[in-house]
Amino acid sequence: MTVRVAVAGASGYAGGELLRLLLAHPGVEIGALTGNSNAGQRLGALQPHLAPLADRVLEPTTAEALAGHDAVFLALPHGQSAAVAEQLGDEVLVVDMGADFRLRDAADWERFYGSPHAGTWPYGLPELPGARAALEGSRRVAVPGCYPTAVSLALFPAYAHGLAEPEAVVVAASGTSGAGKAPKPHLLGSEVMGSMTPYGVGGSHRHTPEMAQNLGAVAGEPVTVSFTPTLAPMSRGILATCSAKARPGTTGEALRAAYEKAYADEPFVRLLPEGQWPATASVQGSNAVQVQVAYDGTAGRLIAVSAIDNLTKGTAGGAVQSMNIALGLPEETGLSTIGVAP
Amino acid sequence: MTVRVAVAGASGYAGGELLRLLLAHPGVEIGALTGNSNAGQRLGALQPHLAPLADRVLEPTTAEALAGHDAVFLALPHGQSAAVAEQLGDEVLVVDMGADFRLRDAADWERFYGSPHAGTWPYGLPELPGARAALEGSRRVAVPGCYPTAVSLALFPAYAHGLAEPEAVVVAASGTSGAGKAPKPHLLGSEVMGSMTPYGVGGSHRHTPEMAQNLGAVAGEPVTVSFTPTLAPMSRGILATCSAKARPGTTGEALRAAYEKAYADEPFVRLLPEGQWPATASVQGSNAVQVQVAYDGTAGRLIAVSAIDNLTKGTAGGAVQSMNIALGLPEETGLSTIGVAP
Amino acid sequence: MTVRVAVAGASGYAGGELLRLLLAHPGVEIGALTGNSNAGQRLGALQPHLAPLADRVLEPTTAEALAGHDAVFLALPHGQSAAVAEQLGDEVLVVDMGADFRLRDAADWERFYGSPHAGTWPYGLPELPGARAALEGSRRVAVPGCYPTAVSLALFPAYAHGLAEPEAVVVAASGTSGAGKAPKPHLLGSEVMGSMTPYGVGGSHRHTPEMAQNLGAVAGEPVTVSFTPTLAPMSRGILATCSAKARPGTTGEALRAAYEKAYADEPFVRLLPEGQWPATASVQGSNAVQVQVAYDGTAGRLIAVSAIDNLTKGTAGGAVQSMNIALGLPEETGLSTIGVAP
Amino acid sequence: MTVRVAVAGASGYAGGELLRLLLAHPGVEIGALTGNSNAGQRLGALQPHLAPLADRVLEPTTAEALAGHDAVFLALPHGQSAAVAEQLGDEVLVVDMGADFRLRDAADWERFYGSPHAGTWPYGLPELPGARAALEGSRRVAVPGCYPTAVSLALFPAYAHGLAEPEAVVVAASGTSGAGKAPKPHLLGSEVMGSMTPYGVGGSHRHTPEMAQNLGAVAGEPVTVSFTPTLAPMSRGILATCSAKARPGTTGEALRAAYEKAYADEPFVRLLPEGQWPATASVQGSNAVQVQVAYDGTAGRLIAVSAIDNLTKGTAGGAVQSMNIALGLPEETGLSTIGVAP
């Protein structure tokens, strides 16, 4: 079987990373590539690293351009996916790399995104309890946000085993590609090199309710998340440093056992040997997740850290992984756990 | 008055930064420069940015070399300062940039540093309540650790006004110069560029008890600190993202008022306008501290963030500031609040 | 004497660096600060590193705003300086940090800049033969381009002593701040980190005729310059690697003697000891220039390398140095040769 | 056919990159992995990005360990390969990633490497005239140096068509991984971030005679190379900026035609469209080479620029490409032309 794939939004970072992965996917044929402001341009000028596609030209994002494919990936600005998806048949796999269909709570959506809620699709983080089954055979997938991917994988085993109080504290560092390719002064190389700075502080970042949704579902009770993202001087990668007060009786051994159980059979998540901590360079360009957990007896908290590549497992790799599951392909097809380091 | 200054440990990053600042200090004459493994070498080969001192040669660190100065700065490995200080007269100002005299609790010292406690000297973070007065006229100064400087200044106003529960959670990103100049594989440029990674996780970092000491003294009760340091791909700078559960009744306004009061008259600490967040690039090479605070009503936590240059305010600048106070010079002499950016 | 200074174009990188230096200049009072698109904004939002000026508000760039100052610095887009300068009195020192008055050859100007030639002002690179004298007492100064500063200082001693054939080959790496603060996709942090790329290849860069002008004047014959600039993953700094075929009889000793003579009394240029090579980090934030030269007997070429900070000696520092000379202040006032490293 | 491969020197950057590629090679089975100082350690601790090999343990580099493989890759310090190779049978493919068998001129070898010349093996740069044929069926391969790979591919078409005078000038910027993993002070992240610096200036770099050998063979006459390498603040990548005086009658069109002809059928080298210039980020992690050329009429020189990943096409990718040719596998097997960007 060859899956014929279209990509709407092929000129941005998420679209480019998706194409990088699809080019290496043995079961995929790359069909229409669309953009809006960049329609008519050669991909070679926009994504010079994608040599095999250099001569492809972007079409405008229209229903006609996207028709006739088995799968359509949407890498569009938030709020634009629903209108496009409606024009695609129910038999077409639509993988939304935007936020539109991630949240179950309409009020959360409206508060954080300021527009009417479009609905909820099966959630493309198969490592979460129940998520893989919901993706199998689905023709609609909501790819998680990059931060919620890192944070949910760092913390959910602790909540699944009742080891953590329902108040998580997260500080995450992200490479600048997470902020996209639209040029803004604070994203200039001159500004970001040599600098660390937080943004969206105080619970205002849009990924906050998505984290709370994921962890609350696992915990079986509401979990609040104090989330502070920071911009780091690197192109790719998220390091999520997460902690929560340990429930009474929690030990380092119990924590390790919970994480070992959660990730024993997961192809992309690796609980590191004790004493070794995640590093974003180790997962660069791959769909791998490195996780480690420790118990701080003095502070009475568990600390869980994960590293992902925000563009791969955090976006395009997670999308391909979900496509594989939805279409019944082996989950690891076209994806790697080997980072490009140093 | 001209202060004749000696620097023990002039070949490392702390020593180099100190010399950079002392060269710009109008009341200082730079005397002996010592090193151990680098004794006999020209400073121009070791610190090529210090052009005016290029032809100075490092002497071995001996009592003879350090004698005859008004002030001696010690940038030595932990545990070596006491023996050197004992050989210097009581009338000589000794500024220890190592950890030896920072902690008041001997048990803490022994647990984290593994050697007998040498004592406690006046603490060189004049912004803390009571600290400036203790430094005035003192002939012994313990320069704080770089992380404790950033964290204490981010959080102490909240504790001073009873706005925070005594369980702080800190995740701090540091530039690689904080790890020193001794070559180790994980500090190679190839390893650190493009990578974020934590270390000393779970309460094991030596700066943890120092933070707890500072915040506990202000709060009037023990404060635990869950501290996770991370290594960031930049040479300089610390961004400390700190949070704590807010005490009942805490509001954003009360927080802001507390921080405004704490820093109204401080020459080096600036509470940023609301909505603007600290960035390490903005304080690079300067003794400035940028601070911001916010209240997250959903999570019920206050988030306080500070940015410093780990080598300047975090080490050598704090040392010069304390020297100025100890010797009765204007506190800002030779120090700047202007960062080298972009 | 206090020099009252206005800065037109205070929101960009050149203007920000100039203000950083002027704040440390003991003989200067900072007057009007102007901008165009940013007029009305607080400087604290635009240049967060300039803490002492955080509450200053930018005015529009008008003759009224700039009137009543002893010196006016123009950090404007190319082609706009002449109109502003005309409105300022002859007794006012006007220092143009743009290109408008650098070239003597009108045809060169028109070919590379595409607009009518505005004239030629005394050239603000006092280290060149005759340049310092021309600056003394002048009320108009053309600050050199950043690349021509680095390249001219690397090569002129060889041409002054007849040691090099008149065909120079230059490859220079620049930090991204040289490309300015206007956001463009190829200047995003995500694009520049981890990447080296050339631009303006093949003789098309506007700084090429300025280099040829400087070297030709010293050589007493036309000198062609093959110039390739490259964009490096760093915020600041230029490393200029320059070479030329050695004239018959040239030796390494003759080269070294020529450079020693050229720079024996220059306060900002340092010929490094043999075997030590320039590094941009060593001059970061300073007005220093590091120079080294070698003779490659196999290739029959001399290789001369210089490192500067493009924003300091390459722009704002050179401007302040020229102001000092023009106004009869000690040339080093407010300027440093000490880099901010590591 | 499955090729059973051993890697001697698996703990360094070249060895790690080779393993990254071999893991993705469908015709390879990874056998013995050896090291010297790191023998006995888990690869997961040394190469944390190579998740699938995390539990493999390094053996000492002995004839026994390397016996019984179809191919043995040597990533050893210079001068050690000959002794190891002698112990391997003639039927075993030995791919030397060190310098030992690259140079044909024994005097060159002795002058630059200071030890007796071990011999010359078929040269693993198949894009050079005649090189591919020499590799076919060979059981010994000398992998080129990273700089010679970049420089030879940038310049050889000009020399092959008689368009360039035999005096090349090369300035190349390399990421720090080219300097290896042994920790040295000048390779610390604190030193290299934000800094550009040259090294091995004046014809002393060991890769110089290798470039001259390659270009001279193509030109049919001796070619001198003035080569200046520079260390750039990035982990990977080489940007080689090369130029030479154009032979009389050379035009931009003739140059372009020469390069189009040279690279029309090469799977890994791409002559970019006119006006687009190579960038190291675009080839990161891939075996791709980007090349561009221009003619500077004013200076009378051709400028040719290439970008490679020093660890991939510059070392391990070139080694795998040569293995494929030697063993009769399709040349592109296991290799990609798609960079990991941004």
Side-chain angles (χ1 to χ4, degrees), chain A residues 13 176-177 187 189-191 235, chain C residues 13 176-177 187-191 235:
Chain A
Y13 289 144
T176 54
S177 60
L187 298 175
S190 302
E191 301 293 320
S235 291
Chain C
Y13 288 145
T176 54
S177 60
L187 298 176
L188 284 172
S190 302
E191 300 294 320
S235 291

Side-chain angles (χ1 to χ4, degrees), chain D residues 51-274:
Chain D
L53 298 173
D55 293 327
R56 297 285 294 268
V57 174
L58 289 197
E59 306 174 58
T61 304
T62 62
E64 292 69 38
L66 299 177
H69 297 83
D70 304 308
V72 176
F73 288 79
L74 306 179
L76 303 171
H78 298 313
Q80 301 190 0
S81 296
V84 176
E86 272 171 23
Q87 301 180 289
L88 300 168
D90 289 348
E91 75 291 354
V92 176
L93 173 61
V94 183
V95 182
D96 184 21
M97 299 161 79
D100 299 25
F101 298 95
R102 292 173 189 160
L103 294 183
R104 283 192 289 270
D105 187 296
D108 272 349
W109 172 268
E110 283 159 24
R111 183 154 59 96
F112 280 88
Y113 292 88
S115 61
H117 190 220
T120 313
W121 288 355
Y123 191 69
L125 193 56
E127 293 84 0
L128 286 185
R132 188 172 275 114
L135 291 167
E136 289 167 5
S138 173
R139 287 298 171 266
R140 294 291 183 271
V141 174
V143 178
C146 51
Y147 286 121
T149 294
V151 171
S152 301
L153 296 177
L155 279 177
F156 98 78
Y159 284 108
H161 289 76
L163 300 173
E165 298 288 351
E167 296 178 325
V169 177
V170 175
V171 179
S174 174
T176 53
S177 60
K181 208 173 180 174
K184 297 169 190 165
H186 75 287
L187 297 175
L188 284 172
S190 302
E191 301 293 319
V192 299
M193 289 186 282
S195 201
M196 293 279 313
T197 188
Y199 64 101
V201 189
S204 63
H205 193 282
R206 290 171 163 181
H207 286 177
T208 309
E210 192 180 338
M211 297 175 196
Q213 170 178 292
N214 292 351
L215 297 177
V218 173
E221 63 178 324
V223 174
T224 63
V225 180
S226 163
F227 172 51
T228 309
T230 65
L231 195 65
M234 56 190 190
S235 292
R236 287 173 175 245
I238 287 178
L239 185 82
T241 303
C242 313
S243 71
K245 208 156 182 173
R247 282 249 156 97
T250 297
T251 61
E253 292 69 34
L255 278 168
R256 188 140 194 103
Y259 280 72
E260 281 175 348
K261 189 173 166 204
Y263 294 129
D265 298 320
E266 284 298 338
F268 294 111
V269 187
R270 191 156 77 98
L271 178 65
L272 294 176
E274 289 188 67

Side-chain angles (χ1 to χ4, degrees), chain C residues 118-165:
Chain C
T120 313
W121 288 355
Y123 191 69
L125 193 56
E127 292 84 359
L128 287 184
R132 188 171 275 115
L135 291 168
E136 288 168 5
S138 174
R139 286 300 171 264
R140 294 292 183 272
V141 173
V143 178
C146 51
Y147 286 121
T149 294
V151 171
S152 302
L153 296 177
L155 279 177
F156 99 79
Y159 284 108
H161 290 75
L163 301 172
E165 298 288 350

Side-chain angles (χ1 to χ4, degrees), chain B:
Chain B
M1 180 184 92
T2 293
V3 183
R4 189 165 162 81
V5 171
V7 178
S11 63
Y13 289 146
E17 181 74 352
L18 180 66
L19 290 170
R20 186 177 75 84
L21 299 175
L22 293 178
L23 281 164
H25 193 296
V28 158
E29 180 192 332
I30 297 176
L33 307 181
T34 78
N36 278 328
S37 56
N38 296 304
Q41 291 194 50
R42 288 175 58 255
L43 201 65
L46 299 165
Q47 309 273 20
H49 60 300
L50 301 177
L53 299 172
D55 293 327
R56 297 285 295 269
V57 174
L58 290 197
E59 306 173 59
T61 304
T62 62
E64 292 67 39
L66 300 177
H69 297 84
D70 305 308
V72 176
F73 289 79
L74 305 179
L76 302 172
H78 298 313
Q80 300 190 1
S81 296
V84 175
E86 271 171 22
Q87 301 180 291
L88 300 167
D90 289 348
E91 76 291 355
V92 176
L93 173 61
V94 182
V95 181
D96 184 22
M97 298 163 78
D100 299 25
F101 298 95
R102 292 173 189 162
L103 294 183
R104 284 192 288 270
D105 187 297
D108 272 351
W109 173 268
E110 284 160 22
R111 183 154 59 96
F112 280 88
Y113 290 89
S115 61
H117 190 221
T120 314
W121 288 355
Y123 192 68
L125 193 56
E127 293 84 359
L128 286 186
R132 189 172 274 114
L135 292 167
E136 288 168 5
S138 173
R139 286 299 171 266
R140 293 293 183 271
V141 173
V143 178
C146 51
Y147 286 121
T149 294
V151 171
S152 302
L153 295 177
L155 279 177
F156 98 79
Y159 283 109
H161 289 76
L163 300 173
E165 299 288 350
E167 296 178 325
V169 176
V170 174
V171 179
S174 173
T176 53
S177 60
K181 207 173 181 174
K184 296 171 191 165
H186 76 286
L187 298 176
L188 284 173
S190 301
E191 301 293 320
V192 299
M193 288 187 282
S195 201
M196 294 278 313
T197 188
Y199 64 101
V201 189
S204 64
H205 193 282
R206 289 171 164 182
H207 286 177
T208 309
E210 192 180 339
M211 297 175 196
Q213 170 178 291
N214 292 350
L215 297 177
V218 172
E221 63 177 324
V223 173
T224 63
V225 180
S226 163
F227 173 52
T228 308
T230 66
L231 195 66
M234 57 189 190
S235 291
R236 287 173 175 244
I238 287 177
L239 185 81
T241 302
C242 312
S243 72
K245 207 157 183 173
R247 282 249 156 97
T250 296
T251 62
E253 293 69 34
L255 278 168
R256 188 141 194 102
Y259 280 72
E260 281 175 348
K261 189 173 166 203
Y263 294 130
D265 298 321
E266 284 298 337
F268 294 110
V269 188
R270 190 157 77 98
L271 178 65
L272 293 175
E274 288 188 65
Q276 187 175 351
W277 287 86
T280 61
S282 295
V283 298
Q284 182 163 271
S286 88
N287 206 49
V289 184
Q290 289 191 333
V291 173
Q292 184 57 288
V293 66
Y295 176 63
D296 178 346
T298 303
R301 295 182 77 87
L302 63 95
I303 292 83
V305 179
S306 65
I308 63 168
D309 185 317
N310 60 305
L311 290 180
T312 324
K313 178 61 178 169
T315 306
V320 171
Q321 183 182 355
S322 294
M323 174 194 79
N324 288 340
I325 296 170
L327 297 179
L329 298 168
E331 188 172 334
E332 302 176 59
T333 312
L335 296 169
S336 167
T337 60
I338 305 166
V340 180

Side-chain angles (χ1 to χ4, degrees), chain A residues 64-123:
Chain A
E64 292 69 38
L66 299 177
H69 297 83
D70 304 309
V72 177
F73 288 79
L74 305 179
L76 303 172
H78 298 314
Q80 300 189 2
S81 296
V84 175
E86 273 171 22
Q87 300 180 291
L88 301 169
D90 289 348
E91 75 290 356
V92 177
L93 173 61
V94 183
V95 181
D96 184 22
M97 297 162 79
D100 298 26
F101 298 95
R102 291 172 190 162
L103 294 183
R104 285 193 288 270
D105 187 298
D108 272 350
W109 173 268
E110 283 160 23
R111 184 154 60 96
F112 279 89
Y113 290 89
S115 61
H117 190 221
T120 313
W121 289 354
Y123 191 69

